[in-house]
Every structure is written in C-alpha cells, then in structure tokens.
Amino acid sequence: MNSVFFDHATIDVWIAEDAPLVDLTTHLLAVGGQQARMCLSIRSASVAACTEEAARIVQHCGGQVEHWLTSGTPVAADDVLLAATGHAADLLRAWKVAQNLLEYACGVAGATARMVQAVQAAAPGVAVLTTRKHAPGLRRIALKATLSGGAFPHRLGVGETVLVFPQHRALLGGWDALAERLAAVAHALAEKKCVIEAHSLDEALHAAAAGADVVQFDKATPEALRAWCPPLRQRHPHLRLLAAGGIHLGNAADYATSGVDALVTSSLHHAPPADVGVRVVPL
C-alpha cells in the first residue's frame, strides 16, 4: 500500500536522526565490510504497515531488499516483514530506524484491525475514523498504519474540512451568529460538508438548525447516544452523526450500536508497539 506519500528527504531525515555521522560500534569492531543478510520478523499476529518505507530506509542506506510484505497484509507470529542483503555497515545503519518504524506502525495497524473487526461485527456499515491527535511529525506514519488496519481518516488538517467547535461559537457569539455566518457563506461550502460539535441533544438540534450536515458528539456515552439519535434522525433525516471522545477497543462495539454513522477515535495512535525481532547473519 503506497497511497501515503513519503518523500526521499523524510526517509533521509529518519536515518540521519539515528546515524548522522558514524556507527561507532560497527567501526570499532571492523565488521562493516562483510556481506550480510538482515531479516525483520514480527513475534505476534498483527498487520504489516510501513514496510515499503522500511524497505526504502534499507535502500537509502545502501542495502538491497530481497522481500517485504505489503502494508495491510495480516501477519502471523514469526512472519518475515522484510529481508535484505548488503554490506553489514549499511544494514546495521538501517537496522534500528527500520525496526522502530515497523514496531510503531504494525502495532497501530494491528490495533486498528481489531477495532474495525469489532465494530463491523456489532454494526456493519459503521466506520472507524482516526483523528489528527498524535505527536507532531507522526501524521504520515499514523495515517498509513491506520489505513493498513482498515480505518479511514477523519480530518487530516484544518484546511480539509469545516469543523465548528465550541471555541469557534464562542468567538462568533453563539448559535444565532453561527447560523447567520454559515448562511452567508453557504455558496463557499458547495463541495464541503459542515460538521458541528455538540455535547447534548439540545446542542445537536441547534447545530442542525444552524446548517450542520454532520453532528459530532463529543464524549457522549453510548446510552445517551441511543436516546438522542432517534429524535435527531426523525427531525433531520439527512443528518449524519458521529461519536468522538474516549472511544477505544473495549467500548467501540457499544458505541457502534448506539445509532451513529461512524466512530472518531485517537486511541489507535497510542497502541502498544508490535514486537519486531531483527536477525543479522554473515553471507
């Protein structure tokens, strides 16, 4: 899966962060000149993710990649994610950068796949959407990992969608002012949906009246959503409903059956890393 773009400079920055000058251990032991093979294997079932970028790390360091599993491939314990040959110095320079990338990405992809499976089993058709709430610099990796696990992005950046938070309403002066502003700029939203965050049924009704195409409930319980969704859909049948805030694998199925169209979650970005073992042997 190469749908997420990583430029060459990004790959080189990752390598330079770990090995900008000299690998002192390899130099002192004088093992860098011999030919070697490196295999990166996963130690428990998961989903492959960012293997293409791990392969590029090896290639940028001078190694030759023999094999890798495509991102999105389900993997079992001991499956080889990537195998490469080359000078030992080149493989050892790539080693930890590629391993760290795969451990994070495969951990996120595996957790995503488990949540998507749980949601689809409980409520087929309800989507799992991932947010942009993660550490700066991780967006491409987090996005590719969650896509590999079967989720979709909620919002990749503030320029992508219109999403009105209470902070925006406060600056405008309230619901009436928001409705007036959205009506005035409706022509500019011809190709966009307007999403408005709400924390109660009353706020959701205000949001729909103000011109929302989508209401995003923040930190509402599944029980509350079961009470709020039917009257909202009855009054506004074309309104789409999202649940966000506090959603994780343990409660995702409960939220999926609450009446919403999709779940918005940040928890997948913080999944435990996969355990990826690395074996380097001389040829």
Side-chain angles (χ1 to χ4, degrees):
M1 179 189 291
N2 290 297
S3 56
V4 180
F5 177 69
F6 292 81
D7 59 19
H8 293 314
T10 297
I11 304 294
D12 288 339
V13 165
W14 294 347
I15 297 167
E17 184 179 58
D18 194 56
L21 296 172
V22 63
D23 177 347
L24 188 58
T25 305
T26 300
H27 177 74
L28 289 175
L29 297 179
V31 296
Q34 61 184 293
Q35 291 292 309
R37 172 176 285 110
M38 179 172 69
C39 292
L40 291 87
S41 303
I42 197 157
R43 292 196 172 103
S44 60
S46 188
V47 174
C50 289
T51 42
E52 294 82 8
E53 288 66 43
R56 288 174 63 190
I57 289 168
V58 173
Q59 291 165 344
H60 281 223
C61 288
Q64 294 80 49
V65 177
E66 294 182 325
H67 162 78
W68 75 85
L69 294 180
T70 303
S71 290
T73 303
V75 291
D78 300 323
D79 279 355
V80 175
L81 297 170
L82 183 150
T85 59
H87 286 104
D90 297 335
L91 300 181
L92 293 172
R93 183 180 293 271
W95 166 14
K96 192 58 66 174
V97 185
Q99 181 185 22
N100 288 346
L101 173 63
L102 290 173
E103 288 197 332
Y104 174 80
C106 294
V108 170
T112 302
R114 290 190 292 274
M115 182 181 288
V116 170
Q117 289 163 8
V119 167
Q120 289 301 300
V126 172
V128 175
L129 310 178
T130 54
T131 73
R132 70 185 206 279
K133 291 178 67 176
H134 47 65
L138 272 181
R139 184 145 310 169
R140 286 185 179 89
I141 300 172
L143 173 61
K144 184 160 185 177
T146 52
L147 285 172
S148 297
F152 293 90
H154 172 237
R155 194 188 195 203
L156 295 175
V158 294
E160 186 180 66
T161 63
V162 176
L163 178 49
V164 180
F165 288 106
Q167 292 87 339
H168 299 111
R169 285 195 283 112
L171 292 170
L172 279 170
W175 287 109
D176 290 341
L178 173 60
E180 290 175 8
R181 182 59 185 166
L182 290 176
V185 297
H187 61 285
L189 300 178
E191 61 172 346
K192 302 288 186 183
K193 289 186 181 294
C194 178
V195 185
I196 301 180
E197 185 178 87
H199 298 82
S200 66
L201 176 58
D202 183 62
E203 286 191 354
L205 291 169
H206 277 294
D213 300 296
V214 183
V215 169
Q216 178 173 300
F217 286 108
D218 184 49
K219 294 181 175 63
T221 65
E223 293 74 22
L225 292 171
R226 287 189 179 91
W228 298 344
C229 290
L232 271 173
R233 293 195 185 280
Q234 184 175 12
R235 294 181 62 171
H236 302 279
H238 299 296
L239 191 67
R240 307 307 296 270
L241 304 175
L242 308 178
I247 297 172
H248 51 77
L249 179 59
N251 61 20
D254 198 13
Y255 272 100
T257 58
S258 67
V260 296
D261 298 294
L263 311 183
V264 179
T265 181
S266 306
S267 66
L268 296 170
H269 298 145
H270 308 289
D275 189 355
V276 174
V278 180
R279 184 169 178 260
V280 179
V281 296
L283 289 179

